[in-house]
Amino acid sequence: MTVNATLYVCTTCRAGLEIPEDGERPGEAMLNALNDIGAPDGVDIKGVKCLSACSNGAAIALAQDGKWTYVYGNLNKEEHLQDIIDGAAAYAATDDGIIPWRQRSATFKKHTLSRIPALGSNHD
């Protein structure tokens, strides 16, 4: 059984914008654009109602069993879409979730909000 990384996209983020209740939010737009491109090998894309990064929306997270989890924010589909796809593929290819600094896109270097060790790990 293949274990995939998951790219979570917050669909409720307003990214500080005034958006009508029935309007498309930046996170929804990001999810739709990512799904239009398609997930890279080894990655599933899933929308979630909230990543609790409201003041840093639109936000995404990358997670996989046994790997560090990363949360990225202040993203938009116009600027960051390809970096997100490329970064998700690079994340899926790692053993521990840590993409070497020189191989990270500018988006992943500048927009990291949090990194969380794998459950049960003994990382310092």
Side-chain angles (χ1 to χ4, degrees), residues 48-119:
V48 293
K49 296 264 183 202
C50 185
L51 288 174
S52 288
C54 302
S55 62
N56 294 291
I60 64 167
L62 279 166
Q64 184 172 341
D65 285 345
K67 293 185 178 186
W68 285 81
T69 294
Y70 286 82
V71 180
Y72 301 95
N74 301 303
L75 302 171
N76 65 67
K77 69 180 180 107
E78 292 77 21
E79 269 184 89
H80 304 115
L81 214 63
Q82 193 59 53
D83 276 355
I84 292 169
I85 292 291
D86 295 344
Y91 176 87
T94 67
D95 291 331
D96 57 5
I98 300 173
I99 304 166
W101 183 255
R102 287 183 213 143
Q103 295 174 17
R104 292 181 201 172
S105 68
T107 297
F108 277 26
K109 287 178 181 176
K110 295 179 182 178
H111 293 266
T112 304
L113 299 180
S114 177
R115 108 179 171 143
I116 304 147
L119 288 175

Side-chain angles (χ1 to χ4, degrees), residues 31-48:
L31 176 63
N32 292 334
L34 289 166
N35 281 327
D36 286 346
I37 291 173
D41 287 342
V43 178
D44 295 323
I45 300 172
K46 295 183 179 179
V48 293

Side-chain angles (χ1 to χ4, degrees), residues 17-29:
L17 303 173
E18 295 280 332
I19 298 172
E21 283 301 315
D22 61 345
E24 183 179 57
R25 296 175 183 207
E28 285 179 298

